[in-house]
Amino acid sequence: MAKLHRRGLLGLFAAGSAIPAVARADDEVAGFEHGVASGDPMADRVILWTRVTARTPVDVAWRIWPADGTRPSRASGQVRAGPDRDWTVKVDATGLEPSREYLFEFAAGGAVSPQGRCRTLPVGATEDVVVAVASCQLHPGGLFNAWAAVAELERLDAVIHLGDYIYEYGAGPDAYGMTTGAALSRIPQPPHEIVTLDDYRLRHAQYKSDPDLQAAHARAAFICVWDDHEVTNDGWLNGADNHQPDTEGDWATRKAAAIRAYAEWMPIREPEGGLTDAIFRSFRFGDLMALHMVETRLTARAEQLDYARDMVVVDGAPDVAGFETKRNDPTRDLLGEPQRAWLSDALGQHRDAAWQVIGNQVVMARVAGPDVTAVAGPDQIEAALASLPAEVADGLRKVIPLFKAGMPFNLDSWDGYPVARERLYAQFAEAGVQPIVLAGDSHAFWVNELKDAAGARRGAEFGTSAISSPSPGDAVGAIPLGPLLDQANPEVLHCDQKAKGFIALTVTREAATAELISVSTILAKPFETRSLGRWRVEKTADGITAPSRVRG
């Protein structure tokens, strides 16, 4: 984080006045082309972020003031921007008042940034909290219309981003999302798969150049955690599916470069000594809600199982029992002991909050793959597969019999780590809480009831779809994937495998209500938003209810 200078302001801020609107960039400063952002709000402080487009190191002035124009809780200062942090600046603005909306802006060399808005967290008695929940924004995958919709929300206290903020893929014709990217002229920069620090910086810069994402960042503070694509696909502790050491170098070096770029470009509070691969942390919204952001990718995750690689075929049939022995190995982990200890402490420390919420990357519920043979005959299935790309059809042919046997739909989710999930549920039980779990990654909407192996309710889950990344339902054509998953899984109450959008989560003392909001298209503007339904979890003397659909 850039050092805060207490003296030597640029003189652009008069006491109580805004930066002059007529200020213009000088020859050394082109402006603030990547917008502004805020993040990691607390009751008395918030992270402010921007990037200045400049040729040489430059002093950047900042200020923050109450949105209602009153004088208390103003702050200002100056930071230095230079190439060591890719010209980004980050300020931990302190001395603010709780539960208050603020405006903020930056200036450098005569250039003035766009204005941002954020809200500090409440303390004490809190009536309600409204947050947006989002993940998975593939730039070539489509327009960020969902971010434009988030920016227009009438009430928004914060945005919870569950990962896949950027994607690592290149611009080749067969690269992920490039059929759409080529049609929309959304070509990844740099045009190759990103590996080095310069690569990751340039990719973050491209994403932060999107006007819809800029609008969302300017609207409210973000609380973020990464998933896999901030480094590369299907990452785990010691490698990734999309990392080849022989051509892409050392995994630890690549991961460190990705984390450094993330720390520079994201409005996240960095611990003393810099951001590591452990970014789990908690946020307290008064007496109403405690939010715990967990990290399931880089800290402790064991390598994912793979049906093609790990399912042994014996006498022409898959050895399901042998595979299940591997899947239920107790050493398979997602969180690791340090993070588990932190979470136990956090759950206990915040037991007085009416609600506890877990910001988590991947779907936690038990989700068996759908048995398509129960709703379609062989000819119908083959006709549906024939309409798909060959590699997709081949993959589905292999898993259809496994799904018929009740095997998990997604081994990259908590289903690939069932013993670790039971350990987590035991932590919930020990703390006496039944949390709301938020999930991203899947590119689908989910409403799930979470139960442990003994059938006891341990929480409820709301999974958000993608902002623009391709959904599984897009790939399987006429196969009704979402409804089939509903029917196949007692824990799954609702699943939409095609819609793109985000969740608006409203928390009151009595209930947590998730509205699934979709956009009509990610291929054009204008677009429309539509509610796919609201689901409500209520507080009871004994815990929480299962999610139920709100009628009307």
Side-chain angles (χ1 to χ4, degrees), residues 463-480:
T464 185
S465 188
I467 295 292
S468 61
S469 304
S471 296
D474 299 332
V476 296
I479 298 174

Side-chain angles (χ1 to χ4, degrees), residues 409-432:
F409 179 61
N410 181 8
L411 295 171
D412 189 50
S413 71
W414 281 88
D415 264 336
Y417 307 80
V419 177
R421 180 171 52 199
E422 289 300 306
R423 284 196 292 262
L424 180 62
Y425 287 167
Q427 287 184 268
F428 295 167
E430 183 178 358

Side-chain angles (χ1 to χ4, degrees), residues 276-552:
T276 68
D277 57 357
I279 57 171
F280 39 89
R281 61 213 194 280
S282 295
F283 299 87
R284 184 65 183 253
F285 293 75
D287 66 349
L288 186 60
M289 185 177 95
L291 170 66
H292 311 294
M293 301 293 284
V294 301
E295 196 284 327
T296 63
R297 274 293 166 193
L298 305 178
T299 302
R301 178 186 280 254
E303 185 175 9
Q304 300 87 340
L305 293 174
D306 179 81
Y307 286 125
R309 183 189 66 222
D310 298 303
M311 179 70 77
V312 176
V313 176
V314 178
D315 296 329
D319 180 12
V320 172
F323 184 87
E324 286 294 79
T325 297
K326 297 177 186 177
R327 190 169 71 96
N328 285 279
D329 183 338
T331 66
R332 296 186 52 73
D333 203 358
L334 283 180
L335 298 180
E337 287 301 334
Q339 187 170 190
R340 262 193 297 279
W342 162 81
L343 183 58
S344 288
D345 289 344
L347 292 171
Q349 178 183 347
H350 296 284
R351 282 190 62 181
D352 59 325
W355 294 88
Q356 300 219 39
V357 177
I358 308 292
N360 148 80
Q361 288 73 68
V362 294
V363 172
M364 193 171 289
R366 288 178 176 78
V367 183
D371 180 10
V372 297
T373 65
V375 296
D379 292 342
Q380 292 173 293
I381 293 172
E382 194 54 42
L385 294 176
S387 67
L388 304 177
E391 66 276 11
V392 175
D394 289 344
L396 288 173
R397 287 188 184 95
K398 293 176 182 177
V399 297
I400 284 175
L402 299 178
F403 290 168
K404 185 175 182 179
M407 298 301 291
F409 179 61
N410 181 8
L411 295 171
D412 189 50
S413 71
W414 281 88
D415 264 336
Y417 307 80
V419 177
R421 180 171 52 199
E422 289 300 306
R423 284 196 292 262
L424 180 62
Y425 287 167
Q427 287 184 268
F428 295 167
E430 183 178 358
V433 300
Q434 292 179 331
I436 300 294
V437 174
L438 306 175
D441 182 71
S442 70
H443 310 175
F445 282 116
W446 301 85
V447 179
N448 301 324
E449 182 180 14
L450 301 179
K451 293 185 177 182
D452 64 18
R457 181 179 298 138
R458 293 302 174 205
E461 181 172 45
F462 297 126
T464 185
S465 188
I467 295 292
S468 61
S469 304
S471 296
D474 299 332
V476 296
I479 298 174
L481 185 56
L484 286 174
L485 289 167
D486 289 354
Q487 297 165 18
N489 294 283
E491 292 189 22
V492 179
L493 306 180
H494 176 75
C495 182
D496 187 317
Q497 288 278 333
K498 288 193 173 184
K500 305 295 188 293
F502 62 97
I503 290 175
L505 180 67
T506 301
V507 180
T508 66
R509 202 156 300 279
E510 297 77 25
T513 303
E515 184 172 16
L516 316 183
I517 299 176
S518 72
V519 293
S520 58
T521 181
I522 58 172
L523 301 178
K525 291 182 181 292
F527 66 93
E528 297 177 350
T529 59
R530 180 169 69 95
S531 175
L532 301 180
R534 292 184 298 140
W535 291 80
R536 177 182 174 95
V537 175
E538 297 181 357
K539 291 288 289 186
T540 71
D542 299 321
I544 64 173
T545 64
S548 61
R549 188 154 195 160
V550 179
R551 303 299 175 184

Side-chain angles (χ1 to χ4, degrees), residues 227 248 489 501:
D227 194 20
E248 294 171 333
N489 294 283

